[in-house]
Amino acid sequence: MALLSNIVGFSLFGLATRFGQLGIQKRNLFDNPGGHIIAMAVFGYGGYWAYRWDQRAAVLLAMKREEIRERRVQAGTTGDA
């Protein structure tokens, strides 16, 4: 569910960005819906990428924490001061 909400959230942000762009240009907001779809798709893909990056970072951090814990055990310190 987090993946879907991330993609939808980024897509809606892309739509808002497209509306902002057209608003600055003082153009009709509903003139070219293809541009809206492209903006939503690009930002949605960005949301997917951000979600995958977050998941991978969590795995890397867990691995690094385990490595640090093992080194502390080998050195004889637990870090519980």
Side-chain angles (χ1 to χ4, degrees):
M1 194 64 171
L3 173 62
L4 182 63
S5 65
N6 216 19
I7 291 173
V8 169
F10 272 76
S11 292
L12 290 176
F13 183 76
L15 182 63
T17 302
R18 176 73 175 157
F19 281 156
Q21 174 191 21
L22 293 175
I24 289 171
Q25 295 176 354
K26 297 187 188 302
R27 290 175 46 199
N28 185 4
L29 297 181
F30 301 106
D31 188 30
N32 184 11
H36 302 324
I37 293 170
I38 291 171
M40 291 177 72
V42 168
F43 276 80
Y45 180 71
Y48 172 76
W49 182 75
Y51 176 81
R52 297 294 295 173
W53 182 7
D54 186 44
Q55 295 299 313
R56 180 66 181 145
V59 169
L60 290 174
L61 284 172
M63 288 171 45
K64 187 55 96 171
R65 284 186 185 121
E66 182 64 26
E67 183 181 318
I68 290 170
R69 188 191 63 78
E70 288 175 1
R71 286 184 185 172
R72 285 182 179 164
V73 167
Q74 287 176 354
T77 60
T78 60
D80 297 331

